[in-house]
Amino acid sequence: MAVLAPAGAGADDTQPPSGLGAPDSDGRLRVPAHQFEIAGLGSWREVELGDRERPVNDLDDLRDDAAEADDGQAGQAREDSVVLAGYRHPPSDARLAITRIRYPNLRAWRGEDSFFAEVEAGVAAATVGLDRFHQRRQRLGRVPALDLGFRGRGPNGREVLLTRFLFFRRYTLALTMRVPTRGYRRHQRALRALVESFEPSFAP
């Protein structure tokens, strides 16, 4: 399973249409086509995802037994990963990406501990120099979810990486936020609230 982690400062800040639509007046974005919503985007700018912003972790090899899942598409995760949108928060210099990965998640719906451990191991392997400081498993409605937080010295200096995975039955949505430590300290409450607002939405 490929998950995009936004690159650091210097990415192209043009504003292409992502096709997801614009946030409402309260900064909330609802995307029925992908069954999610997110709040707090009012001060974020949509950005072009450049060549440096590629999927940074690959869990295909860790999840060999996923082939038992209901649609048998485990082997297609890599080519079916799609970056839906990327955003930048100028006050904190945080970068955020939302990725959709076609990957069957029967093990997540069964609540198998090994599934979540493998996801975490894949993220940890892709964040060399960062240490985990936060982990939470939960269900948001019926959908299994996993939150992870890492911090330490990354390729662009000291930084914090926050992720939330939403494990739908036949695909995964992943929100990944990378922010310099200084910006995170100043805007921690708002940044964490945004991540926590990333939820399934089944409204038409």
Side-chain angles (χ1 to χ4, degrees):
M1 180 191 299
V3 179
L4 183 143
D12 184 357
D13 285 345
T14 58
Q15 299 186 35
S18 65
L20 298 186
D24 61 21
S25 59
D26 295 325
R28 180 175 294 275
L29 176 66
R30 294 179 175 87
V31 186
H34 299 287
Q35 298 185 317
F36 77 86
E37 64 179 62
I38 185 171
L41 286 175
S43 59
W44 291 70
R45 296 177 57 192
E46 190 171 358
V47 299
E48 181 72 59
L49 297 172
D51 290 340
R52 291 181 300 153
E53 300 180 271
R54 298 295 188 185
V56 297
N57 66 300
D58 185 17
L59 306 188
D60 290 343
D61 294 336
L62 295 174
R63 294 166 61 174
D64 294 335
D65 57 347
E68 67 181 357
D70 51 358
D71 64 357
Q73 299 296 323
Q76 295 189 19
R78 185 178 293 109
E79 58 265 31
D80 288 345
S81 299
V82 177
V83 181
L84 300 179
Y87 300 90
R88 177 174 175 260
H89 184 241
S92 66
D93 201 26
R95 306 284 170 140
L96 179 153
I98 300 172
T99 310
R100 175 171 170 146
I101 310 103
R102 185 181 180 189
Y103 207 106
N105 290 310
L106 183 60
R107 293 172 61 204
W109 282 72
R110 288 174 174 169
E112 295 183 16
D113 292 342
S114 59
F115 175 93
F116 297 96
E118 290 162 7
V119 173
E120 180 177 337
V123 177
T127 53
V128 177
L130 306 185
D131 298 316
R132 195 196 79 184
F133 70 93
H134 174 70
Q135 189 257 30
R136 183 184 183 190
R137 283 173 54 182
Q138 59 184 316
R139 281 187 180 263
L140 298 173
R142 297 169 295 162
V143 178
L146 175 66
D147 293 355
L148 296 170
F150 292 81
R151 60 189 171 197
R153 184 169 295 280
N156 299 299
R158 299 196 65 81
E159 61 184 1
V160 174
L161 180 73
L162 302 176
T163 66
R164 169 167 283 186
F165 296 89
L166 304 178
F167 298 107
F168 294 85
R169 287 189 181 273
R170 295 177 182 269
Y171 64 94
T172 299
L173 292 179
L175 179 151
T176 308
M177 179 190 296
R178 177 164 261 149
V179 55
T181 299
R182 179 178 296 181
Y184 179 75
R185 288 173 177 168
R186 292 177 177 175
H187 300 274
Q188 177 176 346
R189 181 176 297 181
L191 296 176
R192 290 185 69 95
L194 184 144
V195 174
E196 291 170 3
S197 76
F198 182 60
E199 296 182 338
S201 176
F202 300 102

